[in-house]
Structures are given as C-alpha cells and as structure tokens.
Amino acid sequence: MTDYKKILDKARLTQKKFSPFITLPEKLQSNSKKGKLSGIAISVKDNICTKGMETTAGSKILSGYIPPFSATCVEKVIVAGGFILGKTAMDEFGFGTFSVNCAYGIPKNPLDTSRSCGGSSGGASCITAVADFPHVALAESTGGSISCPASFTGTVGLTPTYGRVSRWGLIDYANSLDKIGCIGKTVHDVALLLSIISGHDSFDSTSLNLPSEDFTKYGKSIKGMKIGVPKEYFEGVDEKITKVVWQAIKKLESLGASYQEVSLPHTKYALPSYYIIAVSEASTNLARYSGMRYGLHQELKGNFDEYFSSVRSNGFGEEAKRRIILGTFARMAGYRDAYYLKALKVRTKVIEDFKMAFKNFDVLAAPTMPVVAPRFDEIKRLSPIETYMMDVLTVAPNLAGIPMISVPAGKVNGLPVGLHLMGDHLQEKKILQVADVSS
Ligand code: GLN
C-alpha cells in the first residue's frame, strides 16, 4: 500500500530545504488503477498541464492558471497507476540553464545548497536526487534542460527523439525543439517512464506515428558496439571533467565496445543557430500572454495596447523580455534572411553531421556539461552570453532532435559529472543500453 501521507510529508520537508516545487497539493490524489507505475510518485515540470492543478511554466504571467485538461503524458501516467506528486520549479518558460530565472523560488542543489541544480528542469532533478521513495520526474528539454540538471545532480536524464512523446498539454517554448522526457535515479526508471508516455497522439501533429515500446527491454551486453567520441565536444571543457569522461569511455571499452574519435565540424555554429531559432519561436509563442485569456489580469485602463504592455511588463521576468526582443528582432523583415533563415540552414548542417557519424557509430559519447554545478554567486557574475555558452555541448543534439541521455560518470571535487550518450533518431534503446552498463 502506498503511504501517500508519508510521501507528501517527505516532499514538504524537501521543499523546505531545497525548494524543488512550485505547487505541492494539500493532499495527494491516490490512484487505485493497477499498472506499471502503481505506487510510483511522478513529479511534473510546471510547463506540463495538470488538470485542476495550477500550471505556471515558472512565470508570473501564468499565475493562477488552472488547466481544464491534463497533458497526454500526464493522462498516460495516471492510467498506468502513477500519482502526481507536485509541479516542479523551472526557469520561466524554460529560459535558462541554472534555474535562477524563476518567478517562484530557486531550487537548490541538494549536494551543496550554495550551487545550482541545473536548468531549466531544476526542480525535477532536485526532487529526483533527494527522493527516497519510488519516484520519476516528467521533465522537458528544448536545448538541454534535461541533460544539464541531470549532470549537475548526479541523476539520469533521458531526452527522447523529437516527436516520440506527445507535446499535447506542454506550454511551448520553441515548438520545433521541445521534447518531454524523464529524470530518474536509474536508467531503468527513465526507460520505464518513457515506455508509458511515448506513442502517437492525434492531438499533436508532430508526434511520430509509431506505437509505444517497452524501453526497459534494452540489450545487456555492449560487446561489439562502436562508440564515437566527437573531438569538438572536449574543447574548452574543464580538464578534470574530461578525465572523468574518458575514464567512463575506457570502462565501456573494457566491457567490449570499441571507440574512435570523430569530428562533427559544424558544432561551433550550433549554439548561435540554436539561440536564434529558440528565441524566434519563443517570441511568437509568448504573444498569446496578453492578460486576456490566461493568468495575470489587471484592471482595464487606457487603450488595449497600453493594457497589454502593462500586463506583459509586470508578468514577464527579465530573461523572458530579453528573448521576446531578440526573437522579434531576428524575425523582422530585413533581418529574417540574415538570422532566422540562416540559422535554419545551419541546423540542417548540424543534422547532417550527426547522420554521417551514425553511419559509423552506434552512439556518441561526450561530457554533458563543460563545468560542474556552479555556485549561485558565480552564476550572478555571468553575462547572458556567457550563460548561453554553458549550453555549448547540449544544443546540437537538441537541434537535431536525436535522443540523448546523461548518466553520472564520476565526480570532480565531490560534485557529479555527467556522461552524455547520443544516439541516432529512434535509437533510444541503444543509448539506454550503454548508459545502463556505464552507470
Ligand atoms: N538553456 C537553454 C535555453 O535557455 C535550454 C533550455 C531548455 O532546454 N528549456 O534555451
């Protein structure tokens, strides 16, 4: 029997210490359905809609928004017997790498509370690292928001192939990049949750027309597997991190895999291209938040333009405003060809790099992040561009829509380091298989 009260008490205690949640219910909704997730608590990133439970995407502009429906992935979790633990903290709309752009409190890294637990799915990684009851987190990545927090907290973060999981009920950041995925304590946990939430959904036209699979049935031996090590992914990476990641690759070799260096030549263009595409899409997505239909409402004063401007000035945080301005600029007539359309061309080149590499390799292995979890005072000193640069290793696979998983590979100065395993489209089982033996 699941002791809902005990679990909620533990979650409340964790909230006091590390603030991983935006919303924790008064009482947990017990779930009598029998299924693969029976008795398992599922925390839900706050940009995924939950019927009857406030959903803010970490933004003040959506405060008080109670969705009349649940996202498809949430529905599936409930049908499989899981129960919803709470809504986890995140950077506003997913705009960030450290979960410091949050309207409702900043989650802290349970391993060292002076440090970030990564972003934007920071609350998800935080509760995953702490939970001592059966739990897996529903998270989301646009450019690295599952891998980064997993790496900083020593948890496992799985980002599936774009379209593998329905986005119905996800509050969009950048539609061509957004992917719902999972953060868990073990490779098996994330494989199990993916088995439940994947599959075609007629409500999401970008969802792949494929049946769901049992992703826990990945192979056990990696004998004969070919691992590519992209050399560009070690440039500018902390030396101690490089060492830990190479040890992990050598371990895979000792288990029967072979490795070889490979070049992904367009890697250095991935970051600017990602940010142009992401902010362009974000700026159109955010246009709907005007104080008419969702969230924040104010007294109607002045004309509509004045009303919209005032609601948006009060409701959006600094980083959201920065991205609206950047994205609107990049899409403007006269600049479109120079920025947005060029970025789309670069995206194709990045995809081609990966496609070439996967002709010769089963998986690619690299560090997940160039640094270990930074301290909050270090983050404060970073300029916006320096913050964006932290995503240098995660944006390319996200642009390509390929599946990736971050697994703990070891520690540097007592802080976890993530090994990033990337696979070709729809090859989730391969990366799960390698991740499983490496952890
Ligand atoms: N840090 C990246 C950004 O700010 C990725 C965030 C995400 O995946 N949601 O866009």
Side-chain angles (χ1 to χ4, degrees):
M1 267 283 286
T2 310
D3 191 339
Y4 293 99
K5 194 178 164 310
K6 203 166 161 191
I7 290 176
L8 187 56
D9 284 345
K10 284 185 175 178
R12 287 207 183 104
L13 203 69
T14 309
Q15 177 66 0
K16 257 201 195 133
K17 281 167 102 173
F18 310 116
S19 312
F21 295 102
I22 293 179
T23 310
L24 258 182
E26 291 286 309
K27 194 172 169 288
L28 289 180
Q29 198 80 45
S30 57
N31 188 347
S32 55
K33 293 200 179 83
K34 290 268 163 296
K36 286 189 171 165
L37 297 181
S38 288
I40 302 183
I42 308 290
S43 63
V44 181
K45 186 173 178 179
D46 203 36
N47 56 353
I48 300 173
C49 286
T50 40
K51 186 175 175 177
M53 199 179 203
E54 189 178 19
T55 299
T56 68
S59 178
K60 213 165 84 179
I61 207 153
L62 274 171
S63 94
Y65 173 58
I66 304 202
F69 70 107
S70 282
T72 300
C73 62
V74 171
E75 291 281 356
K76 285 185 166 183
V77 157
I78 292 166
V79 170
F83 63 95
I84 304 306
L85 179 60
K87 303 302 292 288
T88 51
M90 57 180 288
D91 287 295
E92 182 174 16
F93 290 105
F95 302 153
T97 307
F98 302 118
S99 294
V100 291
N101 304 326
C102 301
Y104 304 96
I106 293 172
K108 299 185 190 86
N109 195 319
L111 304 164
D112 174 351
T113 53
S114 69
R115 293 176 187 271
S116 160
C117 46
S120 64
S121 312
S125 70
C126 176
I127 183 64
T128 302
V130 174
D132 63 354
F133 47 85
H135 162 270
V136 198
L138 272 177
E140 175 276 337
S141 171
T142 306
S145 279
I146 292 178
S147 298
C148 160
S151 166
F152 285 178
T153 55
T155 53
V156 179
L158 173 65
T159 306
T161 305
Y162 179 82
R164 181 69 102 168
V165 176
S166 165
R167 290 185 295 114
W168 172 254
L170 172 72
I171 297 176
D172 304 309
Y173 165 176
N175 312 41
S176 79
L177 291 156
D178 298 341
K179 292 145 314 256
I180 292 178
C182 332
I183 299 182
K185 270 218 162 85
T186 65
V187 173
H188 180 270
D189 286 355
V190 294
L192 174 65
L193 186 56
L194 179 65
S195 310
I196 303 299
I197 62 175
S198 58
H200 181 246
D201 179 10
S202 57
F203 286 160
D204 171 5
S205 60
T206 61
S207 100
L208 295 168
N209 202 353
L210 292 169
S212 43
E213 279 175 50
D214 186 349
F215 290 100
T216 61
K217 295 218 164 79
Y218 45 79
K220 292 288 166 219
S221 162
I222 60 161
K223 252 201 186 96
M225 269 219 185
K226 289 188 189 142
I227 298 173
V229 183
K231 66 175 200 265
E232 293 81 2
Y233 282 61
F234 289 81
E235 288 163 12
V237 171
D238 182 306
E239 256 172 51
K240 290 182 190 149
I241 291 183
T242 300
K243 205 168 146 206
V244 169
V245 169
W246 269 110
Q247 274 165 1
I249 295 168
K250 293 265 157 72
K251 178 177 166 193
L252 296 175
E253 187 189 29
S254 74
L255 294 170
S258 63
Y259 70 82
Q260 206 184 317
E261 212 178 62
V262 59
S263 173
L264 302 175
H266 296 92
T267 300
K268 63 172 177 288
Y269 307 113
L271 191 82
S273 148
Y274 165 81
Y275 269 96
I276 288 170
I277 294 169
V279 298
S280 298
E281 293 186 27
S283 66
T284 63
N285 278 326
L286 296 187
R288 73 188 68 155
Y289 305 108
S290 60
M292 293 290 281
R293 291 179 73 159
Y294 303 104
L296 203 65
H297 289 274
Q298 291 179 186
E299 199 193 326
L300 258 182
K301 260 202 240 141
N303 60 33
F304 275 128
D305 273 359
E306 283 162 356
Y307 174 73
F308 294 155
S309 298
S310 150
V311 167
R312 288 166 70 82
S313 307
N314 291 330
F316 287 129
E318 191 183 315
E319 185 58 28
K321 288 176 188 161
R322 179 177 294 115
R323 294 187 186 210
I324 291 171
I325 293 169
L326 283 172
T328 309
F329 179 81
R331 291 184 293 110
M332 255 163 61
Y335 297 104
R336 232 174 91 89
D337 292 8
Y339 298 113
Y340 183 65
L341 295 183
K342 196 178 247 174
L344 292 182
K345 286 182 190 150
V346 172
R347 183 179 196 172
T348 304
K349 295 277 177 212
V350 170
I351 296 170
E352 284 167 4
D353 276 1
F354 281 113
K355 283 290 176 196
M356 281 294 284
F358 288 123
K359 279 193 182 144
N360 299 321
F361 298 104
D362 295 295
V363 300
L364 299 175
T368 307
M369 294 298 289
V371 294
V372 290
R375 288 196 317 269
F376 290 113
D377 61 309
E378 292 168 332
I379 294 168
K380 259 204 188 111
R381 288 198 289 273
L382 295 175
S383 68
I385 298 272
E386 284 167 333
T387 303
Y388 300 164
M389 303 263 282
M390 293 291 172
D391 301 331
V392 63
L393 305 178
T394 57
V395 287
N398 275 278
L399 270 178
I402 57 171
M404 66 203 94
I405 188 165
S406 179
V407 272
K411 290 198 169 175
V412 164
N413 302 334
L415 294 165
V417 169
L419 167 71
H420 213 204
L421 298 164
M422 298 164 265
D424 201 358
H425 292 117
L426 302 176
Q427 297 300 314
E428 279 85 352
K429 277 193 184 153
K430 263 192 198 166
I431 56 171
L432 285 163
Q433 184 175 349
V434 180
D436 193 40
V437 298
S438 76
S439 56

